[in-house]
Amino acid sequence: MQREYPPHLLQSLQKMCFNRSRAQARYRKEDWELTFEEYKSVWGDDFWFRGTGIDDYCLKRIDGDGAWDTSNVIVCKRREYLAKGGEYSKR
């Protein structure tokens, strides 16, 4: 269920998630080319269902060697990603 946030808090929450994702990509030495606006657009309404649970959603790259950009990312259930054995993390 979508939680209601005042606009300034919603923007803050989205920005925090964006910065965390970008920092994790940089830590893994992956190219990050998503802007904040693109990040919000890619997530859309699924933003509210992201998380670390098996039935939560995550952002993943289509081509594990490519950059994090709008043409190479999709939002999918973590169950889908984990069923493939987290293939991109096994480099």
Side-chain angles (χ1 to χ4, degrees):
M1 178 161 75
Q2 183 172 337
R3 187 170 173 191
E4 292 295 321
Y5 286 94
H8 69 284
L9 289 180
L10 171 61
Q11 181 85 359
S12 252
L13 175 63
Q14 290 173 322
K15 191 71 168 179
M16 181 186 68
C17 292
F18 168 77
N19 286 331
R20 184 180 299 138
S21 296
R22 184 175 57 181
Q24 288 171 344
R26 286 180 178 166
Y27 176 78
R28 293 187 303 260
K29 297 184 179 13
E30 300 165 349
D31 292 330
W32 181 273
E33 297 176 7
L34 288 171
T35 65
F36 177 57
E37 294 303 319
E38 291 169 336
Y39 179 84
K40 288 193 315 182
S41 175
V42 167
W43 271 105
D45 291 336
D46 290 334
F47 177 80
W48 301 106
F49 305 106
R50 77 205 182 297
T52 57
I54 193 74
D55 288 319
D56 293 335
Y57 285 86
C58 67
L59 194 63
K60 82 169 196 169
R61 292 179 295 166
I62 298 166
D63 171 11
D65 294 324
W68 290 90
D69 65 31
T70 55
S71 65
N72 192 39
V73 296
I74 59 170
V75 173
C76 70
K77 284 209 174 201
R78 283 182 43 85
R79 177 182 307 276
E80 235 177 85
Y81 174 73
L82 295 171
K84 294 183 178 191
E87 62 201 27
Y88 303 126
S89 61
K90 293 184 179 179
R91 292 186 203 188

